[in-house]
Amino acid sequence: MQFQINSHQIVADLTQSLSIAADPNKISQVVQNLVENAAKYSPIGTQITFGYLPTANQDVEIFVSDQGMGIAEEDRDQIFERFYRAGKDKVGTISGFGIGLYLCREIVELHNGHITVESNSAGGTTFKVRLPAQ
């Protein structure tokens, strides 16, 4: 991803080997979309971190964190809806159709998983994808 997104510092937190029962191409698509969104909505030169870790109930949590503009609380419930774009007044000329996060949610749910967002409107967002471990 660092070769595709050279405007930000990409940090991978991949400290251990974990297995999930999932289509690797589809889950890769989810992670790539989340990292690309982080780059799109974060100032140039900031850090984007992604990785995974085991959870207490034997799931695997994949996360992508940025230092971007954040997502307002009133947008968080709708962010995964088709064609919804958060913070329309703040995104200005940033292009997008509002289907990337919708597709991420669909892929994750088809894998019996769950996707959430934690953000603060002052800046910084973390997306978490929880999937059953293999």
Side-chain angles (χ1 to χ4, degrees), residues 74-122:
E74 60 268 14
D75 289 324
R76 291 182 210 145
D77 287 340
Q78 301 172 69
I79 196 88
F80 299 105
E81 298 300 319
R82 188 184 334 203
F83 304 125
Y84 187 81
R85 294 197 67 207
K88 292 179 178 101
D89 56 331
K90 294 194 312 186
V91 296
T93 60
I94 299 172
S95 66
F97 294 107
I99 59 171
L101 291 175
Y102 166 76
L103 291 174
C104 287
R105 185 190 71 193
E106 290 293 308
I107 290 169
V108 169
E109 288 180 355
L110 285 170
H111 284 84
N112 298 314
H114 188 69
I115 185 169
T116 59
V117 61
E118 295 173 1
S119 187
N120 113 32
S121 53

Side-chain angles (χ1 to χ4, degrees), residues 45-62:
T46 58
Q47 182 173 298
I48 299 166
T49 304
F50 76 95
Y52 52 83
L53 47 93
T55 67
N57 64 346
Q58 305 302 317
D59 290 341
V60 173
E61 184 176 273
I62 301 167

Side-chain angles (χ1 to χ4, degrees), residues 1-104:
M1 285 191 212
Q2 187 66 64
F3 293 116
Q4 293 176 336
I5 302 173
N6 57 12
S7 58
H8 294 74
Q9 180 186 6
I10 309 290
V11 176
D13 183 6
L14 311 172
T15 56
Q16 56 187 307
S17 178
L18 299 172
S19 294
I20 55 175
D23 179 332
N25 293 325
K26 295 298 183 191
I27 299 306
S28 176
Q29 181 181 351
V30 169
V31 172
Q32 184 171 350
N33 182 274
L34 295 175
V35 171
E36 288 173 356
N37 277 356
K40 190 180 342 182
Y41 295 102
S42 297
I44 292 174
T46 58
Q47 182 173 298
I48 299 166
T49 304
F50 76 95
Y52 52 83
L53 47 93
T55 67
N57 64 346
Q58 305 302 317
D59 290 341
V60 173
E61 184 176 273
I62 301 167
F63 61 88
V64 176
S65 296
D66 67 45
Q67 299 168 335
M69 65 177 67
I71 301 168
E73 190 171 345
E74 60 268 14
D75 289 324
R76 291 182 210 145
D77 287 340
Q78 301 172 69
I79 196 88
F80 299 105
E81 298 300 319
R82 188 184 334 203
F83 304 125
Y84 187 81
R85 294 197 67 207
K88 292 179 178 101
D89 56 331
K90 294 194 312 186
V91 296
T93 60
I94 299 172
S95 66
F97 294 107
I99 59 171
L101 291 175
Y102 166 76
L103 291 174
C104 287

